[in-house]
Amino acid sequence: MIVAFSISPSAGDETGGVSEAVAAAVRVVRESGLPNETNAMFTNIEGEWDEVMAVVKRAVDVVAAVSPRVGLVLKADIRPGYDGQLTAKVERVERVLEG
């Protein structure tokens, strides 16, 4: 499965920024060893249901450690029997665009 998720603490720094808390969550994802990527809006992670959800929970927990309230947006593509889709889905679209 691929999960795209975004975690937001309720409070930011003095400028309203949340980059420190978000970086802590992204660090958890990267240290998981699962395929992942981060863009301006979401972090995507690929793996089996239990392992992906455990990483998302740990990422929420590190943000919750610095914020009294945490928002989580999550979208999942559940497709048993497929892996490597984090890049393969994009590659299929790129092939169509080139053609």
Side-chain angles (χ1 to χ4, degrees), residues 9-90:
S10 62
D13 61 20
E14 64 280 352
T15 68
V18 296
S19 59
E20 291 290 328
V22 170
V26 171
R27 186 174 294 111
V28 167
V29 173
R30 291 183 179 174
E31 289 176 353
S32 75
L34 295 175
N36 68 84
E37 62 184 19
T38 299
N39 58 50
M41 297 293 293
F42 288 94
T43 294
N44 301 318
I45 184 169
E46 183 174 15
E48 296 299 319
W49 181 277
D50 290 339
E51 62 188 356
V52 168
M53 291 304 175
V55 173
V56 171
K57 182 182 184 321
R58 285 195 308 272
V60 168
D61 289 345
V62 300
V63 174
V66 297
S67 180
R69 189 174 188 179
V70 179
L72 173 66
V73 174
L74 186 142
K75 179 177 181 181
D77 180 2
I78 303 161
R79 194 173 184 195
Y82 287 81
D83 59 5
Q85 296 302 297
L86 196 61
T87 56
K89 290 174 74 168
V90 176

